[in-house]
DNA sequence: TGCCATAGTATACAAAAAGATACCTACAGG
DNA sequence: CCTGTAGGTATCTTTTTGTATACTATGGCA
């Protein structure tokens, strides 16, 4: 890939079955605890939630704040740097939305059940 | 995912180990034969190339034109609709590029070898 | 007659990602 | 002293992706 194509880099940090949803919620709520994320995303396992959060943290997209308490309390929030993702996420969301319509046009309504 | 987040839809059509590279080449050359893609992307197997192309075709991003010849000749090109991806791909590329720099800043040069 | 080319399939296999389930810690409340 | 809690790990199995290799059809060419 002729050295200048970094689309994959962007893809890398967004890919992972749960990352978009996780980001969506943290962007929306500003700050969320581990357990709140679990509640908001009922089907995710702790393992998946942990690994996805760690990857986002590694990329400096989210912040992890641990309170020295028992039982533990950990809060996640978007970093200032992470907020720079907003335009990209918006573009992707918008393109995705119109693409669903396009698929609908060319293949018919049958595709709509796919993501509900 | 509260019904309005379609980031994943965009992700879906771009994900697959080879899709970005394939798109990159077809966007650049306008039209490419199967064998030319193979030559441009030496590590891809025929099977992968075929499946990725078929997925892109399903999403109306690329066009597949078969010539009734022997030996076969098949040309791939970006559809008009597919060209609408350009701004998104550009944004992703640009974000990816600056993200690599950011990672470099926070973790040091060691990350650069990752994508060369 | 046998060989080459192109654009694939078919089959088998390996590796990576995701899921299920059990377990851990250490304090607080009863 | 037993139990519950929050935020995880550890381990194992399943599913999804990707890789390797062999095979096919058809016609032109030597």
């Amino acid at each position: 890939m002729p050295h200048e194509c970094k689309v994959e880099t962007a893809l890398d940090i967004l890919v992972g079955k749960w990352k978009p949803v996780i980001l969506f919620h943290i962007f929306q709520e500003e700050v969320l605890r581990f357990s709140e994320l679990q509640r908001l995303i009922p089907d995710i396992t702790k393992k998946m939630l942990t690994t996805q959060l760690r990857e986002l943290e590694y990329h400096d997209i989210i912040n992890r704040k641990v309170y020295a308490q028992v039982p533990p309390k950990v809060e996640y929030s978007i970093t200032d740097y992470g907020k720079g993702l907003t335009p990209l996420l918006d573009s992707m969301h918008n393109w995705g939305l119109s693409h669903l319509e396009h698929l609908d046009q060319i293949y018919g309504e049958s595709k709509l059940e796919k993501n509900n």
Side-chain angles (χ1 to χ4, degrees), chain A residues 84-97:
Chain A
L85 259 179
T86 309
L88 184 55
L89 291 174
D90 283 349
S91 308
M92 293 178 75
H93 165 71
N94 291 138
W95 188 87
L97 209 56

Side-chain angles (χ1 to χ4, degrees), chain A residues 40-53:
Chain A
L40 290 166
I41 312 168
D43 287 347
I44 200 171
T45 61
K46 287 161 170 234
K47 182 194 169 186
M48 274 297 101
L49 185 50
T50 306
T51 63
Q52 308 281 285
L53 288 169

Side-chain angles (χ1 to χ4, degrees), chain A residues 13-111:
Chain A
I13 84 112
L14 266 356
V15 169
K17 190 169 173 187
W18 304 98
K19 286 202 195 106
V21 208
I22 292 170
L23 285 175
F24 178 85
H25 288 297
I26 308 185
F27 263 104
Q28 191 163 267
E29 308 287 328
E30 300 282 334
V31 46
L32 282 172
R33 299 181 58 167
F34 188 87
S35 51
E36 294 176 312
L37 280 164
Q38 270 190 105
R39 188 174 39 74
L40 290 166
I41 312 168
D43 287 347
I44 200 171
T45 61
K46 287 161 170 234
K47 182 194 169 186
M48 274 297 101
L49 185 50
T50 306
T51 63
Q52 308 281 285
L53 288 169
R54 292 291 144 83
E55 285 176 35
L56 291 169
E57 189 194 0
Y58 172 85
H59 284 280
D60 194 27
I61 307 299
I62 63 173
N63 220 289
R64 179 167 179 268
K65 182 169 181 182
V66 183
Y67 291 83
Q69 306 181 351
V70 169
K73 173 176 174 181
V74 179
E75 286 180 347
Y76 293 92
S77 54
I78 305 289
T79 60
D80 285 345
Y81 173 74
K83 286 174 186 155
L85 259 179
T86 309
L88 184 55
L89 291 174
D90 283 349
S91 308
M92 293 178 75
H93 165 71
N94 291 138
W95 188 87
L97 209 56
S98 73
H99 184 58
L100 287 176
E101 283 168 33
H102 184 72
L103 284 181
D104 182 28
Q105 276 175 29
I106 60 186
Y107 294 115
E109 308 283 330
S110 48
K111 294 291 147 302

